[in-house]
C-alpha cells in the first residue's frame, strides 16, 4: 500500500512563495508537525487493515500461465498478426514497424527483432495526403509461409502496401544489392489502412487474399494475388458480388489425391459480413464465399475474373426464440476427423446488429452443409420490379462449379473453355437461394467475444465434445465445454488489462497462445488437471473429467459418463448442496423501496422464465429480473431456463437461480451490514478516530509549544497574543478534528443521488458473472451457492468529512485576560491563520484520497450507476 501525499519539493516551493518576515520558521515547524501527525494516522490505519485481514488483497495469476508484455517487447506495440511454426515452436508476430519471433518453448527468452519502418520522406508524403502520423507507419498485417525457409511479409507502409521476404534461419529480410529491403507491391494483398479488415490464406505456395484495393478503401477484392500474371484473377467490381464487406477469415480445403474419386478441385472459402442487396432494408448479413483453385477466368466474358465465385448467407438463429445473430466477427476452421477434409467444420463467432448491449453467440457450420447450398438453386433479381425470385433454368454445365474429372472428359479442361452463357449466368447470379443455417451453441449477454479457438476431445468420427477458447474485449480468456447441445462455462482467466482486447488465439501442443496489441500469454489448454477445484472439474464431467477426493485433483475418468445430467450429478459430489439445475435458495434481506437485480446467468440461447409472488413490481433485463421491494413483492423468486436437450427441438428445463426476499427488521434502522462486515467496519472507524485524535493533539501541543517559543523570542517585551479575539476559532461538537461529514466513497458519476436504488451482483456456480460493488450502506445475503452483494445508493443523513480548518486555542502567554494587538500584528495573525489552514487543508485532502483508496472504502470494481438503466 502506497501513501500519497504532496512531495517535499512541492511543499517547499509553496513555503518559499508565501514567506513573510516573521513567518517562515513557524510555518515550517507547523508543516513538520502536520507531516508527523499524518504519518501517525497513516501508520495506524494500515495496522488496522492488517488486523482485519482484508487490506492486502492481491490477485495472482496461475503459476503455469506465462504472460509477457512491454518489459520483454520494449517499445514494440500494435501486434496484429500471428504465425506459428509448429515444428520449431517459433511464433512470428507482426507489429508496428517491426517483426518479432518468440520461442514458445521459452517465452521469457528475449525475442528476435526486425525493424521495418517507413522512410522519412514517404512518411511526410503520407501525412501531406491527410493521414495521421500514427497511421503513416508500417503495420505488419500479413504473414504467410512461402516455402524454402521463407515467410511472405506485407505491411501497410504508410498507405502504400509493400511486401518483403523474410529468411527464417537468419531471421532477416531479403536485401537488394544497395542494402535496401527487397520489396514488391502489396496492393490487393494487404490493406492500406491499419484498421481495415482483411484475410489471406496460402494454398500450395499461392496467396489468396480478401482486402481493399484502393487508397480510399472503397473497392474490395477477393483475388489470387500470386502466380503467373495471366492467372492473377479477382472478383468483379459489382455490388452483386461484394457490397461493403468486412472480411473475417479464410480457409483452404485440399482434396487428398488418394480419396477423391470424382477428381474434384481444391477450394478456398472466405467468410465476411456485407450489406445485403436482397432485402428492402439496411441490414448486414454474414456470408461464406467459395472459389476454385484451378479457376483462371473466362476467355471473353469474365476475363481475369472468377468464374467459380459463389456466395451464400450464414444464418445463426435460435428458432424457438426467433433471435438471429447477423454480424460475423471470427471463424475457426477444424476437421472433426483428422485427415478427412469432408469432416471440416467452421465455428463462427457472431454478434447482433439490433442488440443495444454487448452480445456474443457461437454457431458451427459443416462443410457438407455449405457444399449442399452451393450446389442448390440460385437467387435472381428481376430487373423490372427489383424483387428477388427463383431464376430461370440453369445452363449446362452448371455455372460456378469446380472442374471435375467428368467435366474434363466433356472437353472443359479449363475455365477458359466454358461457354459465354454459363459465364454470363454466374456473373449475374453469384448469390445462392438457400442459406446455411445453424442453431447457436452458446450465447453470452453483457460481454463481447473477439476471438475463438476450438479444441476437440475424445475420439470417433461423430465428434460432439469440444472446448471453446474465447477471448474477450476486456483481456480475458474464457473456456467453455460443449457436449451435445449443452454449453458449460469452465473458467474465466484474466490475462491482460481491460484496455487490451484479445486479438489472436493459437492452440499449440496443449497450450493456448493468446495475444493482445501489447502482450502475449501462454495458457495451458488441454487436460483435466487444469481444473483447480471440484466445481470446475464437475462442469467438465462431459469431457471425461472426474474429481478425486483423496488427492483433491481433477483427472481423466476411466469410463465415459452415463446418461442424464452428468454435470448436475458431478456437482452434487462436491462440498455443496447445490447442483447445476438445483441451486440453493439465497435469502436476501431488503428494505422497502429498494430495487434489486436478481441475476440468472446462463449460456443457452433459450429464454428464461421467472416464478415470483403474484402481486409484484418487476421488470426483466434479458435473463435477469429487477424487483422493486414492496410488501407484496416479498417471497420466493425462481429462474428456470431452457437448456439443450437430446435434440434441438426438445429442450429441457433447468433451474438456474433461486432467491427469497425477506424484509429487514425495521427496528434495526435500515439496511445493516453482515456481522463480520460490521466488526471490520467498527475496527476501521475506531482506529480512524484514534488516529485523528492523536494527530489533532500532536498538532495542537506542538504548534502551541513552537508558537510560544517563537513568540517569546520575537516579542517578549510586548506580551501580546499570537491570535487576537477576531481570529478565535469556532469550537466543534467533539474534541477531534472532525466536522459532521467525511466522504467514504465517491459516486460513480460524481454526484450524490437521493433515489433509493439497489444493485445485486451474484457469483453463480455455473461460472457466470463475477462482480462486487460498495457504496454507503452494504447488505448481503446468506451465500449458499454464490456470493450476493447489493448496495443502497441513497444519500445518508450525514456524511463524514475531514475538517479543513485547524483548531488553535487562545493563549495569553501565561496570563489570563483579553489580549490587545496592534493593526500590524492582527494582520500578521490573520495571514498566519490562513496559511495554517491552507497547509492543513492540503494535508487533509491527501488523507481523504488515501482513505478512499482503501479496499474497505473503495471496491476494486467500478460502482454501478444508481440509475434505472444501469442496474
Amino acid at each position: 500500500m502506497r501513501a500519497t501525499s504532496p512531495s517535499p519539493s512541492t511543499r517547499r516551493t509553496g513555503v518559499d512563495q508565501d514567506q513573510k518576515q516573521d513567518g517562515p520558521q513557524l510555518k515550517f515547524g507547523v508543516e513538520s508537525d502536520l507531516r508527523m501527525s499524518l504519518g501517525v494516522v497513516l501508520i495506524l490505519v494500515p495496522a488496522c487493515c492488517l488486523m482485519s485481514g482484508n487490506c492486502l488483497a492481491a490477485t495472482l495469476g496461475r503459476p503455469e500461465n506465462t504472460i509477457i508484455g512491454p518489459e520483454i517487447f520494449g517499445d514494440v506495440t500494435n501486434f496484429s498478426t500471428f504465425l506459428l511454426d509448429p515444428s520449431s515452436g517459433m511464433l512470428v508476430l507482426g507489429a508496428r514497424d517491426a517483426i518479432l519471433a518468440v520461442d514458445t518453448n521459452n517465452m521469457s527468452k528475449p525475442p528476435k527483432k526486425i525493424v521495418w519502418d517507413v522512410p522519412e520522406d514517404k512518411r511526410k508524403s503520407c501525412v501531406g495526403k491527410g493521414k495521421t502520423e500514427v497511421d503513416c507507419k508500417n503495420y505488419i498485417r500479413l504473414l504467410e509461409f512461402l516455402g524454402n525457409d521463407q515467410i511472405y511479409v506485407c505491411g501497410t507502409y504508410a498507405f502504400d502496401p509493400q511486401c518483403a521476404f523474410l529468411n527464417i534461419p537468419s531471421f532477416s529480410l531479403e536485401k537488394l544489392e544497395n542494402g535496401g529491403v527487397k520489396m514488391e507491391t502489396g496492393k490487393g494483398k494487404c490493406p492500406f489502412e491499419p484498421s481495415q479488415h482483411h484475410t489471406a490464406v496460402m494454398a500450395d505456395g499461392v496467396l489468396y487474399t480478401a482486402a481493399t484495393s484502393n487508397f480510399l478503401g472503397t473497392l474490395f477484392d477477393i483475388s489470387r494475388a500470386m502466380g503467373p500474371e495471366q492467372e492473377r484473377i479477382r472478383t468483379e467490381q459489382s455490388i452483386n458480388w461484394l457490397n461493403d464487406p468486412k472480411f473475417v477469415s479464410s480457409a483452404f480445403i485440399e482434396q487428398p489425391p488418394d480419396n477423391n474419386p470424382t477428381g474434384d478441385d481444391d477450394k478456398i472459402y472466405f467468410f465476411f459480413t456485407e450489406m445485403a442487396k436482397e432485402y428492402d432494408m439496411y441490414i448486414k448479413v454474414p456470408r461464406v464465399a467459395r472459389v476454385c483453385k484451378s479457376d483462371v477466368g473466362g476467355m471473353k466474358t469474365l476475363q481475369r475474373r472468377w468464374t467459380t465465385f459463389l456466395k451464400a448467407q450464414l444464418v445463426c438463429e435460435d428458432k424457438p426464440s426467433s433471435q438471429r445473430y447477423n454480424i460475423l466477427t471470427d471463424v475457426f476452421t477444424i476437421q472433426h476427423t483428422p485427415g478427412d477434409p469432408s469432416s471440416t467444420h467452421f465455428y463462427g463467432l457472431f454478434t447482433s446488429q439490433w442488440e443495444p448491449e454487448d452480445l456474443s453467440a457461437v454457431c458451427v457450420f459443416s462443410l457438407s452443409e455449405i457444399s449442399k447450398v452451393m450446389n442448390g438453386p440460385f437467387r435472381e433479381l428481376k430487373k423490372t420490379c427489383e424483387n428477388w425470385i427463383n431464376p430461370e433454368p440453369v445452363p449446362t454445365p452448371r455455372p460456378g462449379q469446380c472442374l471435375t474429372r467428368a467435366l474434363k472428359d466433356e472437353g472443359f479442361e479449363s475455365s477458359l473453355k466454358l461457354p459465354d452463357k454459363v459465364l454470363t449466368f454466374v456473373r449475374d447470379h453469384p448469390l445462392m437461394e438457400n442459406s446455411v443455417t445453424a442453431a447457436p451453441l452458446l450465447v453470452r449477454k453483457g460481454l463481447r467475444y473477439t476471438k475463438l479457438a476450438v479444441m476437440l476431445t475424445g475420439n470417433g468420427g461423430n465428434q460432439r465434445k469440444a472446448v471453446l477458447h474465447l477471448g474477450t474485449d476486456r483481456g480475458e480468456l474464457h473456456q467453455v465445454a460443449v457436449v451435445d447441445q449443452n454449453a458449460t462455462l469452465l473458467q474465466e482467466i484474466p490475462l491482460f488489462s481491460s484496455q487490451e482486447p484479445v486479438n489472436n488465439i493459437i492452440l499449440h501442443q496443449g497450450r493456448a497462445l493468446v495475444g493482445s496489441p501489447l502482450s502475449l500469454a501462454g495458457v495451458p489448454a488441454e487436460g483435466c488437471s487444469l481444473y483447480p477445484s471440484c466445481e470446475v472439474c464437475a462442469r467438465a464431467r462431459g469431457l471425461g473429467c472426474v474429481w478425486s477426493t483423496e488427492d483433491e485433483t481433477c483427472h481423466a475418468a476411466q469410463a465415459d459418463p452415463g446418461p442424464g445430467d452428468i454435470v448436475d450429478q458431478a456437482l452434487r459430489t462436491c462440498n455443496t448442496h447445490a447442483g447445476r439445475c438445483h441451486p440453493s435458495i439465497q435469502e436476501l434481506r431488503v428494505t422497502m423501496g429498494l430495487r434489486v437485480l436478481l441475476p440468472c446467468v446462463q449460456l443457452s440461447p433459450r429464454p428464461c422464465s421467472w416464478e415470483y409472488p403474484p402481486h409484484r413490481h418487476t421488470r426483466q433485463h434479458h435473463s435477469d429480473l429487477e424487483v422493486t421491494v414492496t410488501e407484496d413483492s416479498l417471497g420466493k423468486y425462481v429462474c428456470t431456463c431452457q437448456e439443450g436437450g437430446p435434440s434441438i427441438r426438445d429442450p429441457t428445463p433447468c433451474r438456474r437461480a433461486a432467491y427469497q426476499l425477506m424484509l429487514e427488521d425495521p427496528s434495526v434502522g435500515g439496511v445493516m451490514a453482515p456481522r463480520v462486515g460490521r466488526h471490520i467496519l467498527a475496527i476501521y472507524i475506531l482506529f480512524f478516530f484514534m488516529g485523528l485524535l492523536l494527530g489533532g493533539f500532536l498538532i495542537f501541543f506542538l504548534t502551541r509549544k513552537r508558537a510560544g517559543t517563537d513568540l517569546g523570542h520575537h516579542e517578549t517585551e510586548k506580551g501580546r497574543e499570537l491570535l487576537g479575539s477576531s481570529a478565535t476559532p469556532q469550537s466543534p461538537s467533539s474534541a477531534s478534528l472532525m466536522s459532521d461529514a467525511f466522504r467514504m466513497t465517491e459516486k460513480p458519476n460524481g454526484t450524490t443521488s437521493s433515489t433509493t436504488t439497489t444493485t445485486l451482483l451474484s457469483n453463480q456456480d455455473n461460472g457466470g458473472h463475477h462482480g462486487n460493488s460498495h457504496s454507503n450502506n452494504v447488505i448481503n445475503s446468506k451465500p449458499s451457492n454464490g456470493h450476493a452483494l447489493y448496495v443502497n445508493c441513497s444519500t445518508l443523513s450525514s456524511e463524514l468529512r475531514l475538517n479543513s480548518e485547524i483548531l488553535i486555542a487562545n493563549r495569553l502567554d501565561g496570563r489570563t485576560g483579553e489580549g490587545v494587538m496592534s493593526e500590524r500584528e492582527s494582520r500578521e495573525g490573520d495571514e498566519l491563520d490562513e496559511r495554517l489552514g491552507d497547509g492543513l487543508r492540503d494535508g487533509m485532502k491527501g488523507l481523504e484520497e488515501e482513505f478512499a483508496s482503501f479496499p474497505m472504502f473503495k471496491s476494486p470494481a467500478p460502482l454501478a450507476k444508481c440509475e434505472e438503466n444501469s442496474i
Side-chain angles (χ1 to χ4, degrees), residues 269-434:
Y269 291 86
F270 295 90
F271 298 88
F272 54 95
T273 301
E274 70 171 351
M275 300 307 303
K277 190 175 183 296
E278 65 269 27
Y279 297 106
D280 295 332
M281 63 182 72
Y282 185 83
I283 182 176
K284 298 179 181 179
V285 295
R287 305 282 200 200
V288 54
R290 185 198 71 183
V291 296
C292 302
K293 191 179 73 171
S294 63
D295 190 354
V296 293
M299 179 62 71
K300 296 180 180 179
T301 304
L302 294 181
Q303 290 184 2
R304 300 187 66 177
R305 301 292 187 270
W306 295 107
T307 66
T308 57
F309 178 84
L310 297 176
K311 64 180 181 179
Q313 180 175 351
L314 298 175
V315 176
C316 180
E317 179 184 19
D318 181 57
K319 292 184 178 180
S321 62
S322 300
Q323 176 69 52
R324 180 174 291 194
Y325 312 94
N326 69 318
I327 299 179
L328 184 64
T329 58
D330 191 31
V331 174
F332 186 85
T333 305
I334 190 171
Q335 293 180 357
H336 278 196
T337 302
D340 182 10
S342 63
S343 68
T344 302
H345 284 68
F346 305 98
Y347 287 76
L349 185 60
F350 292 83
T351 185
S352 177
Q353 176 184 358
W354 304 285
E355 290 291 334
E357 300 179 2
D358 289 341
L359 180 145
S360 297
V362 176
C363 281
V364 57
F365 306 92
S366 67
L367 179 63
S368 60
E369 293 170 344
I370 295 176
S371 300
K372 183 179 179 180
V373 172
M374 294 294 183
N375 294 328
F378 295 88
R379 177 170 287 190
E380 181 180 0
L381 175 63
K382 190 174 181 180
K383 304 296 182 179
T384 56
C385 59
E386 296 294 324
N387 290 327
W388 290 94
I389 64 172
N390 291 330
E392 297 178 359
V394 178
T396 303
R398 178 181 171 84
Q401 67 173 325
C402 297
L403 294 179
T404 61
R405 187 176 294 110
L407 282 176
K408 293 179 181 179
D409 293 341
E410 294 178 7
F412 302 104
E413 296 90 356
S414 169
S415 62
L416 295 172
K417 295 187 176 183
L418 293 173
D420 282 347
K421 63 177 182 179
V422 173
L423 300 180
T424 302
F425 186 92
V426 74
R427 180 192 64 189
D428 298 334
H429 304 82
L431 180 63
M432 308 311 298
E433 173 69 22
N434 299 327

Side-chain angles (χ1 to χ4, degrees), residues 203-253:
D204 293 336
V206 179
L207 184 67
Y208 294 80
T209 65
T212 55
S213 57
N214 66 337
F215 181 84
L216 298 177
T218 57
L219 300 179
F220 307 90
D221 281 332
I222 293 177
S223 64
R224 181 189 290 124
M226 279 184 164
E229 189 66 26
Q230 65 274 13
E231 295 183 0
R232 296 191 181 186
I233 59 178
R234 58 182 177 84
T235 49
E236 186 81 355
Q237 292 296 335
S238 169
I239 60 174
N240 289 341
W241 286 44
L242 295 173
N243 187 15
D244 192 19
K246 305 296 182 185
F247 299 111
V248 172
S249 180
S250 54
F252 171 50
I253 306 300

Side-chain angles (χ1 to χ4, degrees), residues 131 419 492 527 864:
K131 303 302 179 180
E492 295 181 345

Side-chain angles (χ1 to χ4, degrees), residues 703-745:
T703 302
R704 180 177 178 180
K705 179 179 179 181
R706 190 175 299 275
T709 303
D710 294 334
L711 187 61
H713 177 73
H714 291 285
E715 296 184 289
T716 54
E717 74 285 357
K718 296 181 180 179
R720 301 261 173 82
E721 297 292 339
L722 177 63
L723 295 177
S725 58
S726 61
T728 303
Q730 296 179 357
S731 300
S733 57
S734 63
S736 63
L737 293 178
M738 300 289 296
S739 67
D740 56 352
F742 172 69
R743 187 177 295 109
M744 298 177 68
T745 54

Side-chain angles (χ1 to χ4, degrees), residues 786-805:
H787 302 283
L789 180 68
Y790 48 110
V791 294
N792 182 8
C793 299
S794 59
T795 305
L796 295 178
S797 59
S798 63
E799 297 177 346
L800 298 177
R801 191 180 305 275
L802 286 175
N803 199 339
S804 60
E805 297 181 0

Side-chain angles (χ1 to χ4, degrees), residues 473-489:
D473 58 352
R474 306 169 187 172
E476 298 176 340
L477 180 68
H478 293 185
Q479 296 177 345
V480 178
V482 177
V483 181
D484 296 329
Q485 299 298 323
N486 291 318
T488 305
L489 181 64

